[in-house]
């Protein structure tokens, strides 16, 4: 290659590099208003998915563990904790300048299974469950005291009609398990923010139930900083108007709001399917997996429009929002490929299977820049 051509190639390469470097990132723009986060799995923090790790470093300033801090993982037996992955996640977050969020202390799914029964397999008494819940919350929160900014203390405690979900915590302890959990968490790390987290919170009955909970916790003197709206949305739900009404209702009840598990399920759903109950499962059928070779143009338009509709609501309410976290990094590893039907090809996130930023990212960024 002669010198001139070589120089030309170098300048071309540099040119591309500069254009890419100049594209604003999510954390540079949305990050001025609230934390922008992603749920990370163990592959990311253990160096087995560097492509996703790079995206997190570049675009996000906050992480949450997708699974490894849940009861069944971190506390598999009464007198045995498994700290390895959770420790690694917190350390990785710190080394990469991320604000680390804890998920989650009290939840009916993926729970520490031993917690609710005695050696004979019979339900434990109220006093025993309170004691076990106390030790679990105290040990986990204390271990990361000062290193985790806030905890999802109770996750998914209401049914869609706003009644209490009849979890073992509810059945054995009664409705005061909420305040006990929040008190135990606060005692263990008085500086940590504490959250109530749930899905389908655009639903008016559930919204009202959560507002009642927030008010009750406050009356009882508990610390609660925010309601986490999981935001597991679909290509045609929920209504952005109802989503916004919920944000405003939670703020009126006296807390901040955060979008904690944002994604948009682009695939058709079985009848009677809604929400994000991880225990739900349906039989695979090709009719539920129509985009194995990529979204159609029409579907992609709907995908972008959904993202823009919800981020418009988020933008309008940014002063009341603490954090927006995507539930995963790229489409390749999203939980929505396997839930509620195993083995599908879904497109719920902002980065594609080749680790490339989707065009909607810059559209969201532009929306925030234009409204500054
Ligand atoms: C999901 C994880 O993404 C999956 O890997 C796991 O198999 C099941 O749980 N609501 C929550 C999250 O609060 O913890 C769930 O995460 C998704 C629904």
């Amino acid at each position: 290659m002669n010198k001139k051509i070589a120089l030309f190639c170098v300048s071309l390469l540099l040119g591309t590099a500069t254009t890419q470097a100049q594209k604003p990132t999510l954390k540079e723009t949305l990050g001025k208003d609230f934390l922008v986060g992603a749920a990370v799995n163990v592959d990311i923090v253990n160096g087995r998915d560097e492509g996703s790790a790079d995206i997190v470093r570049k675009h996000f300033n906050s992480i949450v563990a997708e699974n490894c801090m849940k009861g069944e993982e971190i506390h598999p037996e009464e007198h045995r904790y498994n700290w390895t992955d959770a420790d690694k996640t917190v350390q990785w977050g710190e080394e990469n300048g991320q604000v680390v969020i804890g998920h989650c202390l009290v939840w009916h799914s993926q729970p520490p299974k031993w917690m609710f029964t005695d050696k004979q397999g019979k339900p434990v008494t109220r006093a025993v469950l309170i004691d076990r819940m106390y030790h679990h919350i105290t040990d986990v929160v204390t271990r990361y005291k000062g290193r985790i900014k806030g905890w999802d203390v109770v996750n998914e405690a209401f049914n869609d009609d706003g009644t209490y979900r009849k979890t073992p915590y509810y059945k054995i302890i009664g409705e005061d398990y909420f305040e006990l959990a929040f008190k135990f968490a606060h005692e263990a790390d008085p500086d940590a923010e504490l959250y109530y987290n749930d899905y389908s919170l655009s639903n008016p009955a559930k919204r009202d139930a959560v507002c009642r909970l927030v008010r009750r916790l406050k009356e009882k003197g508990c610390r609660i900083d925010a309601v986490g709206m999981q935001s597991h949305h679909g290509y045609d739900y929920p209504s952005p108007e109802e989503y916004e009404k919920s944000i405003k209702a939670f703020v009126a009840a006296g807390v901040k709001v955060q979008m904690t598990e944002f994604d948009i399920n682009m695939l058709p759903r079985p009848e009677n399917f809604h929400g994000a109950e991880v225990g739900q499962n349906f039989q695979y059928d090709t009719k539920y997996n129509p985009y194995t070779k990529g979204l159609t143009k029409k579907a992609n338009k709907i995908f972008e429009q959904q993202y823009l509709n919800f981020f418009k609501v988020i933008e309008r309410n940014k002063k009341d929002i603490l954090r927006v976290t995507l539930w995963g990094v790229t489409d390749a590893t999203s939980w929505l490929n396997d839930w509620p039907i195993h083995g599908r090809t879904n497109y719920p996130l902002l980065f594609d299977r080749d680790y490339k930023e989707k065009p909607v990212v810059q559209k969201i960024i532009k929306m925030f820049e234009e409204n500054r």
Side-chain angles (χ1 to χ4, degrees), residues 55-327:
I55 293 174
V56 176
R57 290 186 194 101
K58 179 170 171 189
H59 278 280
F60 298 104
N61 55 22
S62 163
I63 58 163
V64 58
E66 184 173 359
N67 285 302
C68 69
M69 290 189 191
K70 293 172 181 173
E72 74 172 356
E73 303 243 351
I74 207 167
H75 200 173
E77 290 170 46
E78 181 165 13
H79 300 294
R80 184 167 68 87
Y81 284 92
N82 174 11
W83 302 114
T84 316
D85 290 333
D87 283 0
K88 187 74 222 208
T89 303
V90 174
Q91 187 196 334
W92 189 90
E94 289 171 345
E95 285 168 3
N96 289 283
Q98 305 286 324
V99 171
V100 185
I101 303 297
H103 174 79
C104 50
L105 299 170
V106 173
W107 188 27
H108 67 284
S109 289
Q110 296 173 278
K113 298 215 171 42
W114 51 268
M115 196 176 258
F116 312 113
T117 46
D118 63 17
K119 283 203 180 84
Q120 284 74 46
K122 289 213 238 51
V124 292
T125 62
R126 182 173 192 275
V128 169
L129 185 55
I130 291 176
D131 184 60
R132 289 181 174 182
M133 190 173 83
Y134 168 78
H135 284 288
H136 174 75
I137 293 177
T138 306
D139 292 349
V140 175
V141 175
T142 304
R143 183 161 183 101
Y144 303 112
K145 187 171 183 222
R147 301 172 72 197
I148 284 197
K149 183 183 165 70
W151 280 98
D152 289 334
V153 179
V154 179
N155 196 27
E156 303 179 353
F158 292 100
N159 296 314
D160 285 351
D161 63 2
T163 56
Y164 286 118
R165 190 192 284 276
K166 306 299 177 289
T167 67
Y169 295 103
Y170 181 83
K171 285 203 273 201
I172 299 173
I173 301 176
E175 67 178 339
D176 44 351
Y177 85 86
F178 288 94
E179 63 210 61
L180 290 169
F182 276 81
K183 283 199 170 130
F184 297 157
H186 185 58
E187 275 163 26
D189 186 354
D191 293 330
E193 292 182 348
L194 303 180
Y195 320 125
Y196 174 74
N197 197 51
D198 211 332
Y199 63 80
S200 296
L201 288 186
S202 303
N203 167 343
K206 225 165 164 177
R207 168 201 302 151
D208 292 347
V210 172
C211 286
R212 283 195 298 275
L213 171 70
V214 168
R215 295 202 164 96
R216 209 172 71 103
L217 285 172
K218 285 183 166 275
E219 272 162 32
K220 303 261 176 190
C222 295
R223 174 172 185 166
I224 171 165
D225 296 85
V227 167
M229 301 176 73
Q230 290 187 4
S231 311
H232 289 295
H233 296 163
Y235 60 88
D236 59 353
Y237 66 88
S239 119
E241 290 75 31
E242 295 300 321
Y243 192 57
E244 185 158 19
K245 277 191 204 161
S246 295
I247 298 175
K248 293 195 185 303
F250 300 141
V251 172
V255 285
K256 294 283 186 189
V257 176
Q258 46 199 5
M259 284 60 209
T260 51
E261 305 183 15
F262 201 103
D263 50 22
I264 294 182
N265 190 341
M266 289 306 296
L267 299 182
R269 54 185 176 276
E271 247 176 86
N272 301 325
F273 165 76
H274 52 94
E277 164 54 47
V278 300
Q280 278 185 309
N281 265 299
F282 298 87
Q283 184 66 36
Y284 180 90
D285 188 306
T286 45
K287 73 174 182 218
Y288 296 130
N289 195 20
Y291 307 123
T292 49
K293 299 204 164 62
L295 287 180
T296 57
K297 250 193 169 164
K298 189 171 159 214
N300 193 48
K301 224 171 148 191
I302 294 171
F303 168 84
E304 290 207 347
Q305 202 49 57
Q306 280 295 79
Y307 259 96
L308 293 172
N309 287 344
F310 292 115
F311 272 79
K312 186 72 230 159
V313 173
I314 291 170
E315 195 283 322
R316 264 206 300 272
N317 292 278
K318 60 193 175 198
K319 66 169 192 346
D320 295 313
I321 292 176
L322 293 182
R323 170 170 57 95
V324 177
T325 292
L326 278 292
W327 201 245

